[in-house]
Amino acid sequence: MNNMNKLKVKSQKSKMRIAMSVLLLSNFCFAHTARDTVNYSFSLGQAIDFAMKNQKQVQNAQYDEQIAQQKVKETIGIGLPQIGASASATDFLEIPTSVIPAQAFNPLAPPDALMAVQFGIQYSATAGIDVTQLLFSSDYLIGLQATKTFLELSKKSAQRTKIEVTIAVTKAYYTVLLNEERMKLLDANAERLKKLSEDTKALNANGFVEKIDVDRVSVAYNNLLAEKDKIKKLFSLGYSLLKFQMGMEQTAQLTLTDKLTEIKFTPEASAEKFDYNKRVEYSLMQTQKNIALLQLKRNKMSRLPTAVLFGSASANAYRTKFDFFDTKQGWYPTVLIGGKISVGIFDGLQTHYRIQQSKIELLKAENNMNMLQQGIDLELESAKINLFNAAVALETQKKNILLAEEIYKATKIKYEQGVGSNIEVMAAETALKESQT
């Protein structure tokens, strides 16, 4: 019996050790997870700033801008001296054979006699340096201007990406704020219907209303709970979308500090003419037009000559043995400098037709800019009207909410006093919810 008691005690101690280990492990995991979770509290401006630093599209646009900067430097390098070095060694396993008239070495040989001879040495080596310097090239001059325009284009593209990300973050941010307000309204409506349902059940128990009145309120209450559950899921999805637009990890905890009720705006009609250059799309179109102008200029200047200065220094060595580093035997140097001017005389009118194409491309670019101006004008008018209508509708709905609340309270009081119907109460509740939405 004593042995049995000892075994039981040991078993209990083992279980306690296991339980303590599991508890400590779970606490460690919880603490580790808590440390890994990052908490953020952002206003809209802070959310946009976060996106500018972490959103992958913005980062890629900035990388494109850096690539353009390196491209400019690469193009500038074409006009700098180009220096190259080369070295080679040759082993003639079979020295080339030439056939010459035999009389070249033997005057007594027949006139038609030939002799096979080998000229050269088995081993030879060459080492040298070549230098070229571009003096004038119309393509290079236009290319320099084009790279600057390309850099400008990449900067404007990055700006457009930032604007698009800002819009996406703003929409996602306000969507979450809207869903927060909807949740608050649904909670209030649910509490109101719950109270109405309890009151109706009490009235039915005392014989003042029929069972159908209780059922009608229950159906409305259940529908509202289903809608609330759906909005709750959309609320969570809205946060996920906002994190995605910001470039934030989905595991992070995000709290929004702005409130929808604190946002004030007053639409104002501006009499000033809109500056199209404020729109990045128009600025990009202007850059495209500049590229078309540069292409036209390049084709016109392609008839100009190209001038290049060059120089070369090399040395050759010949050996009967593969020993080119023997200082007793020499190397034979060759040094030269020169210049070259190239000019086209007739190219089958290809340059002429390229110029005509460039002129047409320029006309297309101008048409595209005019079309964009017209589109911007239409967007401005549409935005002004929509904003004004929204402001009027907002003020009207604020008044409607107050009226709907008064109507609901009055209808409910009449119903409780037995001079109104359940249908009137439900209609007032529906009108209130619609005005809130």
Side-chain angles (χ1 to χ4, degrees):
M1 291 296 292
N2 290 334
N3 290 334
M4 290 294 293
N5 290 333
K6 290 181 180 179
L7 289 174
K8 288 181 179 179
V9 171
K10 287 183 179 179
S11 177
Q12 290 175 352
K13 289 183 178 179
S14 299
K15 290 180 180 178
M16 288 181 64
R17 290 194 188 98
I18 294 173
M20 290 296 293
S21 299
V22 171
L23 181 61
L24 290 173
L25 180 61
S26 62
N27 288 336
F28 173 78
C29 292
F30 176 78
H32 184 69
T33 304
R35 285 196 302 269
D36 290 344
T37 302
V38 184
N39 297 311
Y40 297 102
S41 295
F42 284 161
S43 65
L44 175 60
Q46 291 170 330
I48 293 174
D49 291 340
F50 184 92
M52 293 300 106
K53 297 176 182 177
N54 298 276
Q55 228 282 345
K56 302 306 177 186
Q57 291 180 352
V58 175
Q59 291 177 354
N60 285 340
Q62 292 171 343
Y63 292 150
D64 289 337
E65 186 177 343
Q66 293 174 13
I67 291 172
Q69 292 173 347
Q70 301 305 317
K71 187 68 175 178
V72 171
K73 295 177 182 178
E74 177 190 355
T75 305
I76 292 174
I78 296 175
L80 299 178
Q82 311 294 308
I83 303 174
S86 63
S88 65
T90 305
D91 179 359
F92 286 97
L93 299 178
E94 288 290 341
I95 298 176
T97 300
S98 299
V99 179
I100 62 174
Q103 288 183 345
F105 290 95
N106 185 6
L108 301 178
D112 57 349
L114 300 175
M115 177 184 296
V117 295
Q118 290 180 318
F119 294 101
I121 296 178
Q122 182 176 0
Y123 300 103
S124 65
T126 301
I129 295 178
D130 296 315
V131 180
T132 60
Q133 173 61 59
L134 182 66
L135 297 180
F136 177 81
S137 171
S138 59
D139 283 349
Y140 175 68
L141 295 177
I142 300 300
L144 283 179
Q145 299 178 41
T147 52
K148 294 178 181 178
T149 305
F150 176 66
L151 177 59
E152 180 184 355
L153 183 63
S154 65
K155 289 181 178 180
K156 291 178 180 178
S157 297
Q159 181 185 359
R160 180 177 62 179
T161 301
K162 291 179 180 179
I163 292 173
E164 291 172 350
V165 171
T166 299
I167 293 172
V169 171
T170 302
K171 288 182 177 180
Y173 194 98
Y174 283 137
T175 298
V176 174
L177 294 184
L178 282 168
N179 287 333
E180 281 184 347
E181 293 300 317
R182 292 185 69 183
M183 287 295 296
K184 293 177 183 177
L185 292 173
L186 287 173
D187 287 339
N189 289 334
E191 286 295 322
R192 192 162 44 245
L193 276 179
K194 182 179 179 182
K195 179 67 169 58
L196 179 62
S197 176
E198 293 172 351
D199 294 344
T200 305
K201 288 178 181 179
L203 292 173
N204 174 255
N206 293 319
F208 291 106
V209 298
E210 299 180 1
K211 180 65 167 56
I212 191 173
D213 293 330
V214 177
D215 294 340
R216 188 180 290 116
V217 176
S218 297
V219 169
Y221 181 65
N222 291 335
N223 289 336
L224 187 61
L225 290 180
E227 183 181 356
K228 181 181 175 182
D229 184 63
K230 182 174 69 173
I231 297 299
K232 186 176 180 181
K233 292 177 181 177
L234 291 175
F235 183 62
S236 176
L237 180 61
Y239 264 106
S240 298
L241 177 61
L242 177 57
K243 292 176 185 177
F244 172 77
Q245 299 292 7
M246 293 170 57
M248 181 183 290
E249 295 293 335
Q250 292 294 329
T251 55
Q253 296 295 322
L254 178 61
T255 303
L256 308 189
T257 58
D258 287 355
K259 302 299 179 183
L260 199 63
T261 53
E262 297 174 356
I263 300 172
K264 306 294 182 183
F265 74 95
T266 302
E268 296 179 357
S270 176
E272 297 180 1
K273 184 174 177 60
F274 181 73
D275 184 5
Y276 297 106
N277 290 312
K278 291 181 179 180
R279 286 287 293 266
V280 68
E281 300 95 328
Y282 187 83
S283 184
L284 284 168
M285 199 71 71
Q286 181 66 54
T287 305
Q288 294 288 353
K289 180 183 175 181
N290 293 338
I291 291 175
L293 282 169
L294 287 172
Q295 185 63 29
L296 176 60
K297 186 177 180 181
R298 174 180 176 271
N299 289 328
K300 287 182 177 180
M301 294 180 64
S302 63
R303 295 191 177 101
L304 297 176
T306 300
V308 178
L309 182 68
F310 60 86
S312 175
S314 62
N316 300 313
Y318 305 96
R319 302 284 190 270
T320 56
K321 296 180 180 180
F322 198 86
D323 186 8
F324 294 106
F325 299 100
D326 185 359
T327 57
K328 295 180 181 180
Q329 303 186 58
W331 285 68
Y332 306 98
T334 300
V335 180
L336 62 89
I337 60 171
K340 179 181 178 182
I341 297 178
S342 302
V343 60
I345 298 176
F346 181 72
D347 61 356
L349 299 178
Q350 295 180 61
T351 301
H352 170 74
Y353 294 122
R354 281 196 294 266
I355 291 174
Q356 300 307 312
Q357 293 175 51
S358 299
K359 289 180 178 179
I360 297 172
E361 289 292 340
L362 184 58
L363 292 175
K364 285 178 58 180
E366 291 175 348
N367 276 343
N368 289 334
M369 290 186 67
N370 290 331
M371 289 174 58
L372 183 58
Q373 286 181 4
Q374 295 173 359
I376 291 174
D377 291 339
L378 177 61
E379 288 181 6
L380 281 171
E381 290 302 316
S382 177
K384 288 177 183 177
I385 293 172
N386 290 336
L387 183 60
F388 180 78
N389 289 340
V392 173
L394 179 60
E395 293 302 317
T396 301
Q397 289 303 321
K398 286 180 179 178
K399 296 176 182 177
N400 285 343
I401 289 177
L402 297 176
L403 291 174
E405 288 176 347
E406 294 296 327
I407 292 172
Y408 176 79
K409 291 177 181 177
T411 306
K412 189 171 182 296
I413 292 173
K414 287 174 59 180
Y415 175 67
E416 291 173 346
Q417 294 176 351
V419 294
S421 67
N422 176 268
I423 296 177
E424 291 177 343
V425 177
M426 296 308 301
E429 165 64 26
T430 303
L432 175 59
K433 189 174 71 171
E434 288 177 353
S435 63
Q436 290 172 339
T437 302

